Amino acid sequence: MNQIELKALAKINLGLDVLGRRENGYHDVRMVMQSIYLYDEVRIEKAEPEEISVISNLSFLPTGEGNIAYKAAKLLKDEFQIKEGIKITLNKHIPVAAGLAGGSSNAAAVLFGMNRMFWLGLSQKELMERGVKLGADVPYCIMRGTVLAEGIGEELSVLPAMPKCTVLIAKPPVSVSTKVVYEALDSGNIVKHPDIDGIIEGLQNRDLRQVAASMGNVLEDVTIPMHPVIEDIKNEMKVCGALNAMMSGSGPTVFGLFESRAAAREAQRRIREKSLTKQVYVTSIHSVRRNQNAD
């Protein structure tokens, strides 16, 4: 196998709670993560010379050691003393710096793809153990599906699959630093915590409305005052019939859950018409067959 092509899926947070801050600066979280059918295309090829190279359709994206996909390739190349060069091509569709784990998903795809290409024999768990060295979201992006994340985000438990629905994704024309948002959050002053147990119960009951009603994200209290357009987008989605709408991760992307694809299309039209953002996509939940690790 000289090359492999993979889909690196975006994620949304159906619930994001912060329980406290550790002495090392990391936060203890409790989150429900969900992969969606919005993805980057990642191609990995054996190449000459022995170096790692990254090519992207986005000119502003780092392509050297500042790129997490590069770091993922280097991690395995160094550990297993892989002699061949690695060429990584990223055709990115997931908005960057958007709370959708695009970079982490790219890194996960590189770990998964190189494991296959070079017959490294790593299990999913072993890939995830290496992924956490690159970023807290990388192990989830290897696992995908509907998952409870605890600890700093690396303790993962599979949940019942999310009921099928239409998802509207809207990323306003601002970028948010996850580090800055978490540093600005005072976990001791959080007044309202999301109902993570309610989300899990809704998943167990296959009740989309219960899942939607229980959603919440404590980071909205930090990011929305910085960028009020997030609240405007949420409200537009709800007016158009979203069961609920919420910021994903540290933002600024907003997602809405819809029972009707037509209603999601109308919300997409109105958000564009009001110039809240041009980056707005209608997509769907991505479910994982747990006996398979890839598309």
Side-chain angles (χ1 to χ4, degrees), residues 22-278:
R22 301 183 180 184
E23 289 183 4
N24 61 8
Y26 284 99
H27 289 76
D28 282 299
V29 297
R30 195 161 184 249
M31 307 183 290
V32 178
M33 317 270 270
Q34 176 63 53
S35 47
I36 58 173
Y37 212 68
L38 174 65
Y39 57 86
D40 293 338
E41 296 158 318
V42 179
R43 185 167 70 248
I44 308 163
E45 303 170 79
K46 294 177 182 176
E48 296 290 343
E50 293 183 16
E51 296 147 4
I52 299 167
S53 64
V54 178
I55 300 169
S56 171
N57 60 323
L58 301 181
S59 59
F60 59 83
L61 206 70
T63 54
E65 294 188 7
N67 187 294
I68 192 171
Y70 181 105
K71 292 176 183 176
K74 188 173 189 305
L75 187 153
L76 292 184
K77 196 173 191 302
D78 290 349
E79 179 181 353
F80 292 93
Q81 300 181 338
I82 295 169
K83 300 302 182 187
E84 290 98 329
I86 309 293
K87 179 182 176 183
I88 301 167
T89 304
L90 304 176
N91 188 16
K92 293 192 66 65
H93 305 288
I94 302 171
V96 176
L100 297 172
S104 295
S105 193
N106 294 165
V110 169
L111 294 177
F112 180 89
M114 286 182 62
N115 186 44
R116 273 196 168 181
M117 279 181 66
F118 294 100
W119 301 91
L120 303 182
L122 296 172
S123 66
Q124 185 184 73
K125 182 181 178 184
E126 289 170 330
L127 286 174
M128 290 164 63
E129 287 168 353
R130 286 156 178 79
V132 76
K133 298 175 184 177
L134 301 167
D137 280 345
V138 177
Y140 166 74
C141 291
I142 292 169
M143 179 181 276
R144 310 199 296 195
T146 313
V147 171
L148 175 67
E150 297 174 289
I152 62 167
E154 87 290 6
E155 298 173 18
L156 304 177
S157 307
V158 174
L159 294 173
M162 175 75 171
K164 295 293 185 185
C165 61
T166 298
V167 183
L168 185 64
I169 300 290
K171 194 261 180 182
V174 295
S175 294
V176 171
S177 163
T178 299
K179 185 171 183 286
V180 168
V181 171
Y182 271 98
E183 285 177 349
L185 179 74
D186 185 345
S187 57
N189 285 337
I190 296 172
V191 176
K192 186 178 180 183
H193 289 269
D195 186 3
I196 302 295
D197 290 335
I199 296 172
I200 295 171
E201 186 179 304
L203 293 169
Q204 291 168 340
N205 295 336
R206 303 285 301 155
D207 186 340
L208 178 62
R209 287 177 174 264
Q210 183 179 1
V211 171
S214 303
M215 289 183 350
N217 181 349
V218 297
L219 298 183
E220 286 189 339
D221 293 340
V222 177
T223 308
I224 289 177
M226 296 178 182
H227 305 290
V229 66
I230 294 169
E231 191 69 42
D232 295 338
I233 293 171
K234 286 176 59 178
N235 291 336
E236 201 62 51
M237 289 185 182
K238 291 174 184 177
V239 165
C240 291
L243 296 177
N244 206 345
M246 191 176 82
M247 187 179 81
S248 183
S250 56
T253 298
V254 177
F255 71 91
L257 302 183
F258 291 81
E259 291 176 304
S260 160
R261 196 169 186 87
R265 289 285 186 199
E266 175 62 15
Q268 179 188 43
R269 185 190 67 77
R270 287 174 56 132
I271 287 167
R272 283 180 175 157
E273 191 177 73
K274 293 188 175 185
S275 299
L276 297 175
T277 179
K278 291 180 180 177

